[in-house]
Amino acid sequence: MWLINSSIGRKVVMSVTGVALILFLTFHCAMNIVALFSGEAYNMICELLGANWYAVVATMGLAALAVIHIVFAFILTAQNRRARGGSRYEVTDRPAKVEWASQNMLVLGIIILLGLVLHLFNFWYNMMFAELFGIEGLAHTPGDGFGWIQETFSCSLYVVLYVIWIVAIWFHLSHGFWSAMQTFGWNGKTWFCRWKMIGLIYTTLLMLGFLVVVLAFAFGCAPSLCCESGSDCCAQAAACCVQ
C-alpha cells in the first residue's frame, strides 16, 4: 500500500493525523478556557465527556491517531537519516532558510511525547481511567476536572514542565502546519507564504490559550477562582493577582 510503503504516502499519513490532532487541540483549548470562567461549567463538560461509550471510543481514536503520527515520524526521520548517510556529520551550521523547528522535529517530538505521558498521568488517569475502573481514594472525584486543574497547577514543578511542553508544541506545530499544507499540494508561490503566516498565527493563538490557563491557575488569577455570586469577576480576578 503506497500510504505505508512510499515516502510521499508516509508524509500524507503524517499530515492527515497531524491536522486531526490540531483540531483536537483546538477543541481541548476551548474546553480549558471555560475553566477560566466557571468551574461548574467546566465540570459539566467533564461529566459529559466522562467514561461514556462515545468518549471512550473518541479517546481510543485519538490514541490511535497519536500513535500513528509518532510511529510515522520516527520512520520518516530514520529514512531521512539513511538517505543523508554520513553527510549529516560534515555540516554543523544550520542551512540557510531552514527553520530551527524543521531541523529539530525529532527532539521536539520526544519532549512532546514525554509531556503527553505526564498530562495523561495528571488528568486522564485520575479522571476517565479512575471512573472506568472505580479507583477510589484520589484527591478529587473523577468528574471534578476543575479540582484536578487546581491540584496540578498548584505545583510549581508541574507549571514549569507544562510551560516547556507548550513551547515545544508551538515549535512543532508552527512548522508542522504549513508542512502539512505543502504535502497536500497547497503550496503555490502565493499560498506558501500565506499558509506559513496562517499557521504561525493559528498555532500561536492556540498555544497562548493553553498557556494562559496554566499561568492563570498557577498564580490564582482565573476569574473562576475568585468570583462570588453577583460580584464583578474581572475586578476580583485582578485583586487576586495583586495579592
Side-chain angles (χ1 to χ4, degrees):
M1 187 176 181
W2 74 274
L3 283 175
I4 298 174
N5 297 326
S6 70
S7 176
I8 295 176
R10 296 187 192 107
K11 288 180 180 179
V12 169
V13 172
M14 278 279 293
S15 299
V16 171
T17 55
V19 170
L21 291 171
I22 289 175
L23 292 175
F24 166 72
L25 285 175
T26 302
F27 166 77
H28 197 356
C29 182
M31 177 179 168
N32 285 1
I33 289 174
V34 172
L36 287 175
F37 302 99
S38 173
E40 183 179 353
Y42 182 76
N43 282 346
M44 286 178 61
I45 298 174
C46 290
E47 289 178 8
L48 179 66
L49 300 175
N52 303 297
W53 69 267
Y54 50 83
V56 174
V57 170
T59 300
M60 293 174 64
L62 280 169
L65 285 173
V67 169
I68 292 171
H69 192 78
I70 292 167
V71 168
F72 273 71
F74 277 100
I75 291 174
L76 284 170
T77 300
Q79 174 185 303
N80 291 337
R81 285 180 178 273
R82 284 197 303 270
R84 288 196 301 266
S87 63
R88 66 181 181 273
Y89 300 109
E90 298 171 6
V91 180
T92 56
D93 294 333
R94 181 169 62 90
K97 297 184 180 180
V98 175
E99 297 177 348
W100 180 87
S102 177
Q103 292 229 305
N104 294 276
M105 289 295 274
L106 180 62
V107 174
L108 291 171
I110 292 173
I111 294 173
I112 292 169
L113 180 59
L114 293 174
L116 178 61
V117 172
L118 175 66
H119 188 63
L120 290 175
F121 171 75
N122 283 332
F123 292 96
W124 182 81
Y125 171 79
N126 290 316
M127 297 176 70
M128 181 179 285
F129 186 87
E131 186 176 345
L132 281 172
F133 293 94
I135 298 174
E136 299 179 352
L138 299 174
H140 304 279
T141 61
D144 186 13
F146 189 76
W148 286 114
I149 291 179
Q150 289 180 275
E151 178 85 14
T152 300
F153 299 127
S154 64
C155 174
S156 299
L157 177 60
Y158 282 152
V159 172
V160 171
L161 291 176
Y162 269 84
V163 169
I164 294 172
W165 188 38
I166 289 169
V167 171
I169 295 175
W170 179 85
F171 274 112
H172 191 82
L173 294 186
S174 63
H175 169 78
F177 187 97
W178 68 259
S179 180
M181 299 303 109
Q182 188 176 47
T183 298
F184 295 149
W186 303 335
N187 61 332
K189 288 183 178 180
T190 302
W191 275 98
F192 179 74
C193 292
R194 289 180 181 177
W195 280 125
K196 292 191 75 170
M197 183 56 64
I198 291 170
L200 181 62
I201 293 172
Y202 188 84
T203 56
T204 298
L205 291 175
L206 184 61
M207 291 300 105
L208 277 177
F210 284 107
L211 186 62
V212 166
V213 172
V214 171
L215 297 181
F217 277 89
F219 293 101
C221 297
S224 54
L225 295 173
C226 307
C227 291
E228 296 176 357
S229 179
S231 64
D232 185 340
C233 293
C234 294
Q236 280 217 308
C240 287
C241 291
V242 172
Q243 293 174 3

